[in-house]
Amino acid sequence: MYGFEALTFNIHAGYLEAIVRGHRAGLLTAADYNNLCQCETLDDIKMHLSATEYGSYLQNEPSPLHTTTIVEKCTLKLVDDYKHMLCQATEPLSTFLEYITYGHMIDNVVLIVTGTLHERDVQELLEKCHPLGMFDSIATLAVAQNMRELYRLVLVDTPLAPYFSECITSEDLDDMNIEIMRNTLYKAYLEDFYRFCQKLGGATAEIMSDLLSFEADRRAVNITINSIGTELTRDDRKKLYSNFGLFYPYGHEELAVCEDIDQVRGVMEKYPPYQSIFSKLSYGESQMLDKAFYEEEVKRLCLAFEQQFHYGVFFAYMRLREQEIRNLMWISECVAQNQKSRVHDSVVFIF
């Protein structure tokens, strides 16, 4: 019942909520980012990170460092935090935590299938996969020729199996079909996660419905922008939108018929929470849209920590840590390529 979580929440989840709030206190601050942006070499970045929670992960890395090494070690910190929480969690929190990784599983499946299509080495592709999205039979994805085989040979035993019901066709896999598959899987996953959170009820349902609705709306906008000028029909485009969120259902009707970025802007500006995103962009500009979305998402994720006795903090922490790793990757790449003038272009400050 809403409002009564405080009575029983701490019996099973109190310890883990304290742990995740402790992890949140270890996220990099604006002062850390300002210092990192001043670094001249990757070794300087390593030296600065040695005073943070990433220190123990980077301390034994020899020079010269590579950007991939920094990202890999920082991701390892995220994975360790996640595994610790999952080991301690009881139902329904353990299922909630597992849901968080399904998005990475979808990305890994798409990465392997796309790489195989372009005749890349499977071992090389596996190294690029996100560790949170790994499952036992992932290496065998390379043998599949179409969606039906992909499902029958590999994915039937994974948590993604229920999401494949809308994707199973006998068409051969090509870049267009794979992208449609990714978005169809994401749609099914987000709707399933949304239903699960609604079933939990209380503050978890309230906070997660806001965060997942934002995710669904962002995906709808990205699908629309990416499909402008392709052979994807309006009906096909509409089928890829999730059946919840602020845009559902009337915004989806309008997005489905958009022909350029300014029409998308016109649709979004009708919704007050999204007006601020486009107010930062000039007309016809879509390059900075991703950063504007990330900034809005970070704002919402930070607000999740303002309330207690709900599972939204676990989702928020994982997303904020992933954003932090994206920031570190961008800063490291700018330093490595001597492009320090662009270092602030994609950094999203968290606190």
Side-chain angles (χ1 to χ4, degrees):
M1 192 192 298
Y2 186 66
F4 286 87
E5 297 92 341
L7 290 175
T8 57
F9 185 88
N10 282 347
I11 298 170
H12 295 296
Y15 165 70
L16 280 178
E17 190 186 2
I19 288 285
V20 84
R21 286 178 185 275
H23 286 325
R24 178 253 195 195
L27 291 168
L28 299 179
T29 61
D32 289 319
Y33 283 121
N34 286 332
N35 289 338
L36 285 167
C37 291
Q38 304 300 319
C39 291
E40 296 293 331
T41 65
L42 293 182
D43 284 320
D44 291 348
I45 290 176
K46 176 188 166 184
M47 191 173 76
H48 183 78
L49 290 177
S50 65
T52 69
E53 291 191 355
Y54 296 120
S56 57
Y57 291 87
L58 287 165
Q59 65 186 13
N60 296 324
E61 291 304 312
S63 297
L65 271 178
H66 296 285
T67 306
T68 46
T69 311
I70 293 176
V71 172
E72 212 174 277
K73 295 299 173 187
C74 294
T75 305
L76 193 58
K77 154 82 179 140
L78 170 73
V79 173
D80 286 349
D81 288 350
Y82 173 79
K83 284 182 176 170
H84 174 69
M85 292 190 291
L86 188 62
C87 287
Q88 303 285 341
T90 55
E91 284 294 343
L93 178 55
S94 55
T95 304
F96 181 90
L97 288 172
E98 282 167 4
Y99 265 109
I100 294 174
T101 63
Y102 293 172
H104 295 301
M105 278 189 196
I106 293 168
D107 289 339
N108 285 355
V109 168
V110 171
L111 177 68
I112 299 273
V113 173
T114 311
T116 310
L117 187 68
H118 296 292
E119 298 177 353
R120 302 282 293 278
D121 179 46
V122 178
Q123 201 51 46
E124 185 190 323
L125 293 168
L126 286 173
E127 285 168 14
K128 289 185 176 175
C129 286
H130 196 290
L132 283 179
M134 299 302 263
F135 50 88
D136 293 341
S137 52
I138 192 164
T140 53
L141 285 170
V143 301
Q145 298 299 313
N146 58 42
M147 306 281 189
R148 202 176 291 279
E149 282 185 17
L150 198 65
Y151 177 76
R152 188 172 57 81
L153 297 174
V154 186
L155 297 169
V156 71
D157 294 326
T158 70
L160 300 182
Y163 308 148
F164 256 85
S165 56
E166 292 180 43
C167 292
I168 299 178
T169 62
S170 297
E171 289 178 36
D172 284 349
L173 294 166
D174 59 29
D175 284 342
M176 182 74 161
N177 283 338
I178 291 169
E179 209 43 49
I180 290 172
M181 176 183 82
R182 181 210 292 271
N183 287 305
T184 310
L185 285 175
Y186 250 105
K187 174 191 173 180
Y189 156 60
L190 286 173
E191 287 174 1
D192 189 29
F193 196 6
Y194 183 81
R195 281 192 299 271
F196 176 75
C197 292
Q198 291 303 311
K199 210 161 62 183
L200 291 176
T204 300
E206 182 193 8
I207 286 159
M208 285 306 296
S209 68
D210 176 59
L211 295 175
L212 291 174
S213 294
F214 177 77
E215 180 70 19
D217 291 342
R218 174 168 61 182
R219 293 196 75 81
V221 170
N222 285 338
I223 288 165
T224 306
I225 292 170
N226 293 336
S227 62
I228 290 169
T230 65
E231 67 242 39
L232 200 68
T233 64
R234 289 173 178 180
D235 286 342
D236 286 343
R237 188 193 284 182
K238 202 170 149 207
K239 279 181 198 162
L240 299 176
Y241 300 153
S242 300
N243 293 330
F244 68 96
L246 208 57
F247 290 152
Y248 176 75
Y250 304 111
H252 289 171
E253 301 283 348
E254 294 183 66
L255 283 174
V257 298
C258 288
E259 297 295 339
D260 60 42
I261 179 77
D262 287 333
Q263 288 181 1
V264 175
R265 182 188 189 120
V267 174
M268 285 190 72
E269 285 180 339
K270 293 176 185 174
Y271 296 84
Y274 298 136
Q275 282 172 355
S276 61
I277 290 177
F278 272 95
S279 65
K280 300 170 188 171
L281 308 178
S282 55
Y283 277 88
E285 183 183 47
S286 62
Q287 294 90 337
M288 298 303 287
L289 183 59
D290 275 349
K291 186 183 178 187
F293 269 128
Y294 281 137
E295 284 172 346
E296 178 65 24
E297 183 186 33
V298 161
K299 209 187 299 176
R300 289 169 184 241
L301 293 170
C302 290
L303 285 175
F305 285 94
E306 300 298 315
Q307 216 166 321
Q308 274 187 298
F309 311 121
H310 66 91
Y311 294 160
V313 286
F314 299 96
F315 179 83
Y317 168 69
M318 297 296 286
R319 284 300 178 89
L320 287 172
R321 189 62 90 177
E322 283 167 21
Q323 179 58 52
E324 184 171 278
I325 293 168
R326 278 195 294 272
N327 288 344
L328 288 171
M329 181 164 77
W330 177 262
I331 293 169
S332 302
E333 284 290 0
C334 286
V335 169
Q337 294 174 26
N338 209 12
Q339 294 282 333
K340 287 190 66 185
S341 57
R342 296 190 55 203
V343 79
H344 285 285
D345 287 2
S346 284
V347 173
V348 177
F349 292 109
I350 296 174
F351 295 116

